[in-house]
């Protein structure tokens, strides 16, 4: 019953009052002409109230004339009458259209990309592959071919053994399994020597295979053979055996850098003038908001993402990205001797930091001032490290 | 010959008025539900509040306490109080309200 009522409500109906002598005749004609009437109530001797559909009401005129009844609408019910109120409001219609278009659009784009896998380091690689194929947050769902992306990713990222791409709702799910890298095969039949990677003083020797030619406390030069793969038998008659030398040679190494001390130093400082460029960010798209052109010759740019957090800690995909460029001025500053030395030492350290391999541990640091020719003072920074200097080198048997 | 045909026809017509035509006889013979063939009214009363009449010709009288419906088998009178026609279409009529009588030929 409720469904019937709902259907009638959606279609729209009118409650009419029929007055006349011959209401029965009116009802008969209506029913014969397939005009549906329902809930007919007799009010008094010459009037009755009933409901009729809108279409039925429009076809009622001949029936009313034949039966000499007067038909009056007492109430209009249903959605069509509710909507007819909006028929003339253009803005409302436009709003409804815009709203539905927005809803459709928002349903047809990717809002989020979720990458699950065993190695989170590969996520960025996958993201670059996606970026190359111009797939990101905000790209249209219908442009996404899951199979193509999967093959593209497995081609682009070597470490991936299997990848699954799935679009669920407005989310793009990427699942991958990384490949276990093949271990490097050490061919024990091959003759290998261990040579020094760089100059140093040996502090510790760990030889797993081979014949150690040096001992702790020895100074070695770069390229010197430390562990030989040729094993000499104790009995010279038995000859030699060739092995693949293996081991760790921990040695102290020194790195040095000398720089002239200059009493003039170009100092950079911010003038305090800033230039702001704002971008409206929607998913991965950025729209630049109008701003003045950048006039600074030297500047430092900081990028700040302003994230709008919605209820329950949901990060909304809409936000502002602000790029603040602050102007920088260079100025020549005269330094005192001490300050000049400090600056030179700092610069030397900076240089050394680039040379020293990451695995080595820094043990000691020595700073020396040397007077060179023409009265220029040099600063020498020596850093003492401890590192593994072993390097495998194949021996070509001629 | 002509007379004979005429007689059969008229007889059949009279029988129909009485309530049993050839179609109905056939229907009974083959155990087909009677309401499928022929146009005899089918009156279904559900509880006391609803009467459904199928195969009706038209309503003759519609009052608050009484509704008379014309059918092929004569007039059916439904009486009671607060009667209303719930729905009316070409083939069926649903009468609602508190029903006390369903009378034939009244």
């Amino acid at each position: 019953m409720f469904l019937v009522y709902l259907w009638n409500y959606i279609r729209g109906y009118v409650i009419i009052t029929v007055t006349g002598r011959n209401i029965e005749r009116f009802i008969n004609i209506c029913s014969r002409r397939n005009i549906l009437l329902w809930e007919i109530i007799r009010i008094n001797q010459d009037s009755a109230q009933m409901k009729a559909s809108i279409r039925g009401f429009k076809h009622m005129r001949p029936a009313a004339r034949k039966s000499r009844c007067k038909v009056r609408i007492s109430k209009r019910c249903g959605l069509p009458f509710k909507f007819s109120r909006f028929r003339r409001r253009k803005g409302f219609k436009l709003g409804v259209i815009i709203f539905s278009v927005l809803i459709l659009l928002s349903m047809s784009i990717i809002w989020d990309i979720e990458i699950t896998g065993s190695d989170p380091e590969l996520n960025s690689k996958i993201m670059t592959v996606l970026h190359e194929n111009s797939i990101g947050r905000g790209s249209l769902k219908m442009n996404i071919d899951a199979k193509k992306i999967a093959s593209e990713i497995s081609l682009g990222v070597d470490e991936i053994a299997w990848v699954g791409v799935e679009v669920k709702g407005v989310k793009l799910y990427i699942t991958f399994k990384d490949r276990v890298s093949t271990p490097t095969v050490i061919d024990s039949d091959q003759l290998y020597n261990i040579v020094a990677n760089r100059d140093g003083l040996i502090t510790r020797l760990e030889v797993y295979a081979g014949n150690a030619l040096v001992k702790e406390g020895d100074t070695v030069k770069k390229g010197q053979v430390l562990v030989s793969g040729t094993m000499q038998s104790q009995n010279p008659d038995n000859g030699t055996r060739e092995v693949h030398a293996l081991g760790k040679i921990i040695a102290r190494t020194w790195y040095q850098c000398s720089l002239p001390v200059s009493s003039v130093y170009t100092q950079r400082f911010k003038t305090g003038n800033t230039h702001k460029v704002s971008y409206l960010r929607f998913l991965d798209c950025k729209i630049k908001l109008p701003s003045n052109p950048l006039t600074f010759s030297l500047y430092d740019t900081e990028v700040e993402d302003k994230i709008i957090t919605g209820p329950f800690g949901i990060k909304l995909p809409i936000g502002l990205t602000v790029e603040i460029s602050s102007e920088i001025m260079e100025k020549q500053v005269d330094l005192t001797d001490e300050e000049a030395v400090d600056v030179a030492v700092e610069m030397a350290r900076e240089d050394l930091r680039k040379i020293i391999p990451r695995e080595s541990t820094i043990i000691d640091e020595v700073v020396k001032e040397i007077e060179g020719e023409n009265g220029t003072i040099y600063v020498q920074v020596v850093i003492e490290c401890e590192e593994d200097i072993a390097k495998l080198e194949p021996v070509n048997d001629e | 010959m002509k007379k004979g045909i005429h007689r059969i026809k008229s007889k059949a017509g009279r029988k129909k008025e009485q309530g049993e035509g050839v179609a109905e006889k056939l229907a009974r013979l083959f155990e087909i539900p009677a309401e499928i063939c022929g146009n005899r009214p089918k009156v279904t009363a559900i509880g006391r509040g609803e009467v459904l009449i199928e195969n009706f010709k038209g309503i003759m009288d519609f009052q608050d306490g009484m509704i008379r419906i014309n059918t092929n088998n004569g007039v059916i009178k439904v009486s009671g109080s607060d009667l209303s026609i719930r729905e009316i279409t070409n083939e069926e009529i649903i009468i609602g309200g508190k029903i006390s009588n369903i009378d034939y030929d009244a």
Side-chain angles (χ1 to χ4, degrees):
Chain A
M1 205 56 218
F2 172 73
L3 270 177
V4 175
Y5 178 77
L6 193 74
W7 177 242
N8 284 332
Y9 186 79
I10 291 167
R11 292 287 301 273
Y13 60 91
V14 284
I15 299 174
I16 52 176
T17 316
V18 182
T19 7
R21 297 258 109 197
N22 244 326
I23 292 170
E24 290 87 358
R25 197 164 141 74
F26 174 78
I27 296 170
N28 282 336
I29 294 166
C30 281
S31 68
R32 216 159 294 145
R33 291 188 177 215
N34 277 329
I35 297 167
L36 185 72
L37 300 173
W38 68 97
E39 281 176 38
I40 308 171
I41 302 161
R42 192 86 194 196
I43 297 168
N44 54 40
Q45 202 56 43
D46 34 272
S47 66
Q49 200 181 53
M50 60 195 80
K51 290 177 181 174
S53 64
I54 295 172
R55 203 193 61 89
F57 178 73
K58 281 176 185 164
H59 292 87
M60 219 172 255
R61 187 182 281 270
R65 196 180 299 148
K66 265 190 188 170
S67 58
R68 290 197 191 137
C69 287
K70 276 184 186 168
V71 178
R72 260 187 55 234
I73 294 176
S74 29
K75 206 184 170 190
R76 297 177 175 91
C77 307
L79 282 185
F81 295 110
K82 286 256 154 71
F83 279 127
S84 68
R85 203 185 295 173
F86 304 121
R87 204 167 286 170
R88 277 191 213 136
R89 299 188 191 169
K90 274 185 187 165
F92 185 80
K93 267 189 201 168
L94 198 75
V96 167
I97 290 166
I98 289 173
F99 174 75
S100 38
V101 164
L102 274 179
I103 286 277
L104 273 176
L105 257 180
S106 67
M107 283 195 302
S108 60
I109 61 172
I110 294 287
W111 284 85
D112 204 4
I113 296 173
E114 201 176 294
I115 302 177
T116 29
S118 36
D119 191 358
E121 276 177 25
L122 291 175
N123 287 7
S124 58
K125 282 188 179 175
I126 291 171
M127 283 312 285
T128 42
V129 171
L130 287 180
H131 200 73
E132 278 165 15
N133 288 290
S134 60
I135 289 158
R137 298 197 301 175
S139 49
L140 281 175
K141 254 183 1 187
M142 59 179 189
N143 288 349
I144 285 177
D145 183 359
K147 275 187 182 173
K148 200 181 149 238
I149 297 171
S151 62
E152 209 66 61
I153 290 171
S154 49
L155 280 177
V157 188
D158 281 339
E159 294 90 334
I160 282 177
W162 172 87
V163 65
V165 177
E166 196 181 7
V167 178
K168 255 189 202 167
V170 292
K171 252 182 151 183
L172 180 70
Y173 289 92
I174 295 174
T175 326
F176 71 87
K177 283 271 182 294
D178 57 348
R179 177 177 292 158
V180 177
S181 56
T182 48
T184 47
V185 179
I186 295 169
D187 192 358
S188 47
D189 294 341
Q190 205 76 34
L191 178 60
Y192 270 90
N193 284 343
I194 292 177
V195 298
N197 209 4
R198 55 168 40 91
D199 301 353
L201 174 73
I202 293 169
T203 54
R204 207 145 44 85
L205 274 168
E206 281 175 34
V207 181
Y208 309 133
N211 190 14
L213 301 178
V214 287
K215 56 182 190 300
E216 282 177 26
D218 282 358
T219 355
V220 291
K221 284 226 152 116
K222 188 178 178 180
Q224 189 184 335
V225 178
L226 305 177
V227 179
S228 166
T230 321
M231 298 274 275
Q232 190 73 46
S233 172
Q234 297 222 315
N235 187 350
D237 294 342
N238 288 349
T240 55
R241 195 157 65 91
E242 290 175 352
V243 293
H244 188 295
L246 270 180
K248 271 186 186 168
I249 317 292
I250 313 293
R252 289 205 175 176
T253 50
W254 289 268
Y255 296 88
Q256 67 161 1
C257 177
S258 41
L259 282 176
V261 176
S262 156
S263 61
V264 183
Y265 174 66
T266 46
Q267 198 185 13
R268 290 180 150 206
F269 63 94
K270 289 182 179 173
T271 53
N273 295 333
T274 52
H275 180 266
K276 215 162 126 182
V277 183
S278 304
Y279 295 90
L280 198 64
R281 182 162 45 81
F282 177 71
L283 292 176
D284 284 351
C285 311
K286 276 184 186 172
I287 301 159
K288 192 178 177 180
L289 297 178
S291 61
N292 303 324
L294 195 63
T295 50
F296 310 145
S297 56
L298 270 172
Y299 56 90
D300 202 8
T301 310
E302 276 175 34
V303 182
E304 194 188 346
D305 280 343
K306 282 182 181 165
I307 296 165
I308 304 168
T309 319
F312 313 114
I314 299 163
K315 277 177 188 161
L316 295 183
I318 300 165
L320 271 181
T321 303
V322 184
E323 271 184 21
I324 300 171
S325 309
S326 12
E327 193 182 14
I328 287 170
M329 286 271 272
E330 281 190 341
K331 198 177 163 192
Q332 306 284 325
V333 189
D334 288 326
L335 298 173
T336 60
D337 288 348
E338 267 180 44
E339 278 174 342
V341 169
D342 279 350
V343 167
V345 168
E346 199 49 57
M347 280 164 78
R349 268 190 206 140
E350 199 61 48
D351 286 351
L352 282 177
R353 221 163 277 156
K354 288 170 195 161
I355 309 166
I356 297 172
R358 205 173 286 170
E359 305 87 56
S360 56
T361 44
I362 293 167
I363 294 170
D364 201 7
E365 189 194 80
V366 183
V367 180
K368 272 188 223 163
E369 280 178 53
I370 309 161
E371 200 159 332
E373 293 165 26
N374 314 329
T376 22
I377 302 168
Y378 286 89
V379 170
Q380 191 186 47
V381 178
V382 180
I383 290 178
E384 194 178 334
C385 296
E386 206 169 50
E387 61 178 302
D388 186 7
I389 59 166
K391 183 187 160 197
L392 286 169
E393 203 177 64
V395 180
N396 291 326
D397 257 347
E398 293 296 315
Chain B
M1 281 300 278
K2 261 189 179 177
K3 244 185 176 175
I5 292 167
H6 182 73
R7 254 182 57 198
I8 289 166
K9 258 193 171 174
S10 68
K11 262 190 179 175
R14 213 186 296 152
K15 268 187 181 173
K16 208 177 175 185
E17 271 179 9
Q18 281 163 9
E20 189 123 324
V22 182
E24 279 93 52
K25 268 183 182 169
L26 271 172
R28 218 173 41 165
L29 200 63
F30 291 106
E31 290 178 12
I32 299 166
E35 67 264 23
I36 289 179
C37 40
N39 38 17
R40 292 178 300 168
K42 183 188 179 187
V43 181
T44 316
I46 304 155
R48 262 196 87 173
E50 200 175 298
V51 174
L52 166 77
I53 298 167
E54 282 164 84
N55 286 331
F56 80 106
K57 273 177 164 176
I59 53 173
M60 291 170 73
D61 209 349
F62 176 34
Q63 305 290 330
D64 206 26
M66 180 264 287
I67 297 172
R68 283 169 75 214
I69 290 146
N70 191 15
T71 67
N72 287 314
N73 272 41
V75 179
I76 297 174
K77 189 177 98 177
V78 178
S79 48
S81 55
D82 296 328
L83 293 184
S84 68
I85 299 173
R86 290 252 178 93
E87 210 174 294
I88 180 164
T89 63
N90 220 345
E91 287 116 27
E92 58 174 54
I93 176 168
I94 302 170
I95 296 165
K98 197 163 189 209
I99 287 147
S100 53
N101 284 335
I102 302 173
D103 303 318
Y104 288 90
D105 285 333

